Amino acid sequence: MSMNYHHQLQLLVDILKNQDTEHFGSKDEYAQLERLARSLLKNTEVQEEVKTLLTTIEQYSHEHQADGTFNALNSEEIQQWVQGIERSEHNYLHPNRLM
């Protein structure tokens, strides 16, 4: 079974949460985040509000890979991305329930 975009978003969130907890992201994690964000940006099913976050995450990942700063993370920003994605997913999957 292939990963649908909900699974891809969950993987992206898991990587971001891990980076936030560890205060570090590996080169491979940044590359994977960039690939996931790029793939999700091409998916027409992904909501526009999430695409805005994905664009920022893609840039964040690309910049960290380019300059080699794997431990210069902005925890508050990462948490905002995670919350935005989780809120959007919750609203999509459960439109009549408040989060």
Side-chain angles (χ1 to χ4, degrees):
M1 178 169 97
S2 64
M3 288 180 66
N4 67 31
Y5 81 93
H6 297 288
H7 296 126
Q8 289 177 315
L9 280 174
Q10 187 57 54
L11 177 58
L12 185 129
V13 164
D14 289 346
I15 294 169
L16 288 171
K17 284 180 176 180
N18 184 61
Q19 286 185 349
D20 188 39
T21 301
E22 298 293 323
H23 306 289
F24 179 84
S26 71
K27 184 173 183 162
D28 290 338
E29 286 174 336
Y30 285 114
Q32 188 170 22
L33 282 173
E34 187 176 8
R35 285 191 308 271
L36 279 168
R38 190 175 296 132
S39 173
L40 286 161
L41 284 166
K42 293 176 186 176
N43 189 323
T44 58
E45 294 180 84
V46 177
Q47 298 150 19
E48 285 304 314
E49 64 197 50
V50 174
K51 285 189 176 188
T52 301
L53 295 170
L54 292 170
T55 300
T56 306
I57 293 167
E58 180 185 30
Q59 292 169 346
Y60 154 86
S61 300
H62 180 76
E63 289 169 7
H64 278 276
Q65 287 182 84
D67 65 16
T69 55
F70 302 121
N71 61 350
L73 307 178
N74 183 333
S75 182
E76 186 176 315
E77 190 173 36
I78 292 172
Q79 289 172 17
Q80 288 174 355
W81 298 335
V82 167
Q83 289 170 0
I85 291 168
E86 288 177 338
R87 185 173 31 261
S88 175
E89 280 292 280
H90 175 81
N91 292 341
Y92 176 80
L93 296 172
H94 310 286
N96 298 322
R97 281 199 253 164
L98 295 174
M99 183 171 183

